[in-house]
Amino acid sequence: MTVNMNKVLFGLDDNEKFTFKTVLYTVLILAIAIGVNYLGSKVAEHISFPLYLDSLLTIGVVALCGLIPGIVCAFLSNVVLSITTHSTLLFSICHICTAITAWIVFFIDDYIFTKESESKPDSKPHLYSIDSFLWAGFWSSIINGIIGNAIAELVFAANPGRPSANIVFQGIYVAYQNLALANNFGGFLENLVDKMISALLSIALYFITKAIVKNK
């Protein structure tokens, strides 16, 4: 089995090549995703439940456009937020890990499909399953929880820096008087809910975009 590097890195199918149209498609998806990620983060500042909402469509970008655009989306989203909000660029590490984790899940999905299609030469074009998006969200939440909690504890003295996150953090701390527990439990809970929302919205972006492209 040969690996289609254009598919892996840029989401191009076997019969697709780099053209102005494919580049424009990728740029448009990136612009939409970065804009939604930015707006999501702004909304998160004004709701009581602790969420980040700064990576709402990053998983979808990876599914549609591959690893490199996914990483670009993650980094540029955090650059915009670091310029316009209180966010720090250091947390772009977490966001990039979301893109990489999603890519690994989709790569496995592609690998399984390719192995199965070797015995079914007339198989339909491959679409990622909803399960893959949910697994991408789940594993991203674990990775983000580990790295994000470490950054929060080592660099920011476990201070979330947002009122909504502080409510959960302070509640756990008051109950158990354990700073590490409050930081880690709160962080994992927030990341799990946050990335499941991201996975669901990315599913919508993916299938709507695929339907539009197919009908053109």
Side-chain angles (χ1 to χ4, degrees), residues 117-137:
S117 63
E118 287 176 352
S119 58
K120 301 175 184 178
D122 296 327
S123 59
K124 296 179 180 179
H126 179 44
L127 290 176
Y128 294 126
S129 67
I130 290 176
D131 285 353
S132 290
F133 283 89
L134 296 178
W135 279 117

Side-chain angles (χ1 to χ4, degrees), residues 158-187:
N159 181 9
R162 287 181 297 123
S164 60
N166 274 320
I167 292 172
V168 175
F169 175 85
Q170 291 171 3
I172 297 171
Y173 183 73
V174 168
Y176 295 99
Q177 295 295 307
N178 188 311
L179 186 64
L181 175 65
N183 178 52
N184 286 283
F185 182 80

Side-chain angles (χ1 to χ4, degrees), residues 11 62 68 75 84 135:
V62 176
I68 300 302
F75 182 70
T84 60
W135 279 117

